[in-house]
Amino acid sequence: MAQPTHIEIVRRAYELWQQAGEPEGKDQEFYHQAEQELRNEDKSPLRTPDNL
């Protein structure tokens, strides 16, 4: 799985910040939360044939 880019993390952090009501002084918290979410996201799940 590819690591999220800085831009992807910043965009997700901004979304989280907006959803939280745009609180001041929590930029690092939202950045780390976004980074963790994106790293845990499984973009290419392993699949098995349906007939197994």
Side-chain angles (χ1 to χ4, degrees), residues 1-2 11-12 14 19-23 25-26 28 31-33 35-42 44-47 52:
M1 178 170 73
R11 285 181 179 156
R12 179 62 184 143
Y14 185 73
Q19 291 171 3
E22 303 178 4
K26 301 215 177 214
Q28 289 294 316
Y31 184 89
H32 292 298
Q33 181 181 347
E35 183 178 30
Q36 189 66 35
E37 280 184 14
L38 292 172
R39 286 180 189 263
N40 291 337
E41 191 176 80
D42 191 7
S44 58
L46 296 175
R47 300 186 71 132
L52 286 180

Side-chain angles (χ1 to χ4, degrees), residues 2-12 31 35 38 43:
Q3 295 297 318
T5 66
H6 176 71
I7 295 298
E8 290 171 329
I9 296 168
V10 169
R11 285 181 179 156
R12 179 62 184 143
Y31 184 89
E35 183 178 30
L38 292 172
K43 293 183 180 183

